[in-house]
Amino acid sequence: MMFPVDFPAVHGPRFEGKIAIITGAGSGIGKATAIQMAREGAKVALFDLINERTAVTEQEINSFSPGAARAFDVDISDSQRLERAVLETVELFGGLDIVFANAGINGVLAPIEELSLEDWRKTLNINLDGTFLTVKYAVPHLKARGGGSIIITSSINGNQRFTSFGMTAYSTSKAAQTAFAKMAALELAKSKIRVNVICPGAIATNIDETTDKTDGLKEIVIPVEFPEGGQPLADGPGQPKNVADLVTFLASEQSSHITGSQIVIDGAESLLF
């Protein structure tokens, strides 16, 4: 039996009339995604700790799309600041359609017996609680628009790879993000809100600035021979633009039947183990 194929008409940029919140938007993957979405018509709320990088991102976007970007001073682990920024975004731009929960830290890298409870909790508080709070406060506004797309940045660590010694807190938070995304995808499907999780490998970003390695790690490293550059598909780490391409696809109507998916983007890095 033949069925007619109904391809929706394309009118203008993919994100024309759409409003997006992007956490960790001041640099790296968040910045690349914010710029790409804005170039395709979106209004973007840049959630990050306000610093020179975040201000530059805002200025860069507004230089080619005046009024399309606004930077908000947000610590995603701070419930009140995050909720206030979401409300201000909706008031400023008139709604919410896309959420990219991308912010996170590596935190302290240490053997389990050396890792303090305080450092363990800080990593989970930012990476996991921050993701939960971002989604929690965004959902009512996505429902008010009749649906939307949520994308969460997890990692190959804790999902595909388990040999990054010292990263027990980080990897635990990333595995939990994946479980959270899949639970949320099923819960929110009836509201036409899609939830997907991406698992990047090594990407050229500023996340190493949030890393604190202890001396104890030197004794528990397993030697692994990597190809030159660390990723079979690339001559070095992936680029933020590579991930932005995936995120914008998942945010767009081109992925309208994709939810609850866990997508690895690592240039085959995790296949080396």
Side-chain angles (χ1 to χ4, degrees), residues 108-135:
V108 173
L109 277 54
I112 292 170
E113 69 271 24
E114 294 182 12
L115 184 64
S116 71
L117 181 58
E118 179 183 5
D119 289 331
W120 166 273
R121 285 176 171 168
K122 180 179 179 181
T123 300
L124 267 68
N125 189 26
I126 292 174
N127 292 354
L128 185 54
D129 293 357
T131 296
F132 163 70
L133 291 171
T134 301
V135 173

Side-chain angles (χ1 to χ4, degrees), residues 73-94:
D73 184 15
V74 180
D75 175 352
I76 61 167
S77 66
D78 186 322
S79 176
Q80 291 184 340
R81 286 170 68 181
L82 185 52
E83 182 180 21
R84 182 168 60 248
V86 171
L87 292 172
E88 289 177 358
T89 296
V90 172
E91 182 178 355
L92 174 66
F93 290 129

